[in-house]
Amino acid sequence: MKTYQTTCVYFSATGTTKRSVVEMAKILDESYEEMDLTICNEAIQESRFGKNDFVIFGAPVYSGRIYEGAIKRFKKIVGEQTPCLIVVAYGNRDFDDALIELYDLAKTQGFIPIGGAAVVAEHTYGAIQVGRPNEVDLEEDRKFAECIKQKLMRKELTEVPMPGNRPYRVGGKGGSFRPTTTNECIECGLCSTLCPEQAILKENPRILDDGKCISCFRCIRQCPAKAKVVETQEYQTFVKDFNIRLAQRKENLYILN
Ligand SMILES: Cc1cc2nc3c(=O)[nH]c(=O)nc-3n(C[C@H](O)[C@H](O)[C@H](O)COP(=O)(O)O)c2cc1C
Ligand code: SF4
Ligand code: SF4
């Protein structure tokens, strides 16, 4: 008999966080549900979870913090002493204060964080740990989810503290690189629909609102014509150095007691 209904609630601009949380959810509950909060923002309705729910929160690390747009979305999700798992995906630099920040937020929203993970994923910029989470990472995710499942079955809803510092470091904002559009654009409008911050004009997907764009590169990854690019000299120079600095592989961290 199933004890908890599992729902993954995530923000995932380039899909890496989503891959890990969904992999974990599949182990916990074959009829898991998904709440993908990446696209909409204002349109998100408040959602409430109860004692028989289990929520997996997932978000990417932006400058050592949870992306602030994800925080805004998560504030509409409310628990009632609902057990949860918190997962942050980071691009092989560091997760710094992201886990503790998500842990604090989950508690404020009425959840009990019974475990957490900081998983390594391909970085948005450059070519760092390309393809991660890969099959080896996902196998680790599955094993961790199995341990969480056992904990839930034993009804051990003990809270697990997360590493990090308070006050949190400054971070959580988007980056400064702005995609441009090449002549390959077929004006399908997909980038405009998928942009998490509605930064791409619906009537003309070549036009970008600089102030709204967070450099998440979702439009670049999703464009079917590969027409969204960042080609500036500044970006080329940045990634050359970045790829070298972050070349050393990091391992996933899973936290449970
Ligand atoms: C603006 C921005 C800031 C980032 N800051 C960090 C960071 O501080 N540490 C890190 O390891 N990765 C950082 N990353 C990389 C992302 O955390 C990583 O690629 C993550 O897997 C993206 O998740 P998603 O695919 O679910 O969007 C950053 C990415 C962006 C776009
Ligand atoms: S997704 Fe690509 S092809 Fe479609 S409108 Fe956007 S830039 Fe053009
Ligand atoms: S326009 Fe900016 S915010 Fe929107 S998807 Fe592209 S990179 Fe992300």
Side-chain angles (χ1 to χ4, degrees):
M1 196 191 73
K2 164 163 127 171
T3 326
Y4 294 95
Q5 168 62 48
T6 300
T7 305
C8 6
V9 178
Y10 57 82
F11 176 96
S12 185
T14 56
T16 60
T17 310
K18 173 181 175 171
R19 292 224 301 278
S20 278
V21 297
V22 166
E23 203 65 22
M24 292 178 193
K26 283 182 193 164
I27 296 292
L28 281 147
D29 178 355
E30 56 188 23
S31 55
Y32 72 93
E33 288 174 6
E34 286 184 52
M35 273 179 75
D36 182 347
L37 304 185
T38 315
I39 297 177
C40 38
N41 189 352
E42 267 66 44
I44 297 171
Q45 305 284 322
E46 185 178 292
S47 291
R48 291 190 166 266
F49 291 92
K51 287 198 165 61
N52 294 326
D53 286 304
F54 182 65
V55 173
I56 308 180
F57 286 104
V61 176
Y62 280 12
S63 308
R65 296 272 302 273
I66 300 294
Y67 165 52
E68 61 183 13
I71 296 273
K72 223 180 188 173
R73 289 154 165 83
F74 290 162
K75 282 190 171 164
K76 297 192 179 164
I77 313 296
V78 179
E80 194 190 307
Q81 291 305 294
T82 309
C84 79
L85 175 61
I86 53 183
V87 179
V88 301
Y90 74 104
N92 204 50
R93 186 193 66 75
D94 206 317
F95 60 89
D96 297 304
D97 301 332
L99 258 185
I100 198 170
E101 182 179 20
L102 192 50
Y103 166 85
D104 288 345
L105 179 72
K107 283 182 50 169
T108 308
Q109 297 295 112
F111 292 86
I112 309 171
I114 66 158
V119 293
V120 182
E122 176 170 345
H123 203 291
T124 313
Y125 308 139
I128 295 154
Q129 297 296 304
V130 176
R132 290 186 76 185
N134 54 28
E135 197 33 55
V136 175
D137 296 309
L138 296 179
E139 179 57 22
E140 290 181 12
D141 290 346
R142 289 192 287 269
K143 283 191 178 141
F144 177 61
E146 191 54 57
C147 297
I148 293 283
K149 191 175 180 178
Q150 300 301 326
K151 183 170 175 173
L152 283 172
M153 278 163 63
R154 291 193 303 269
K155 299 247 177 215
E156 270 174 38
L157 303 185
T158 45
E159 201 179 294
V160 181
M162 295 295 139
N165 296 302
R166 300 184 192 94
Y168 319 130
R169 60 181 268 150
V170 174
K173 300 211 181 294
S176 58
F177 306 115
R178 294 291 175 267
T180 52
T181 313
T182 69
N183 289 336
E184 305 301 310
C185 173
I186 51 169
E187 300 190 354
C188 66
L190 187 69
C191 54
S192 172
T193 306
L194 295 182
C195 173
E197 298 301 338
Q198 291 91 48
I200 301 171
L201 219 66
K202 280 212 176 335
E203 305 71 47
N204 184 351
R206 293 162 189 277
I207 300 179
L208 187 81
D209 183 332
D210 252 26
K212 286 187 177 173
C213 175
I214 55 164
S215 299
C216 69
F217 283 21
R218 184 171 170 88
C219 54
I220 296 177
R221 302 282 166 84
Q222 295 284 339
C223 172
K226 300 203 181 330
K228 285 274 186 235
V229 292
V230 175
E231 288 182 324
T232 57
Q233 190 56 50
E234 183 205 2
Y235 181 66
Q236 302 302 336
T237 312
F238 170 80
V239 295
K240 213 172 146 193
D241 171 61
F242 206 49
N243 288 347
I244 297 167
R245 273 202 294 130
L246 299 191
Q248 176 120 29
R249 178 193 162 92
K250 297 211 167 162
E251 300 302 332
N252 302 316
L253 173 71
Y254 300 99
I255 305 167
L256 185 66
N257 62 0

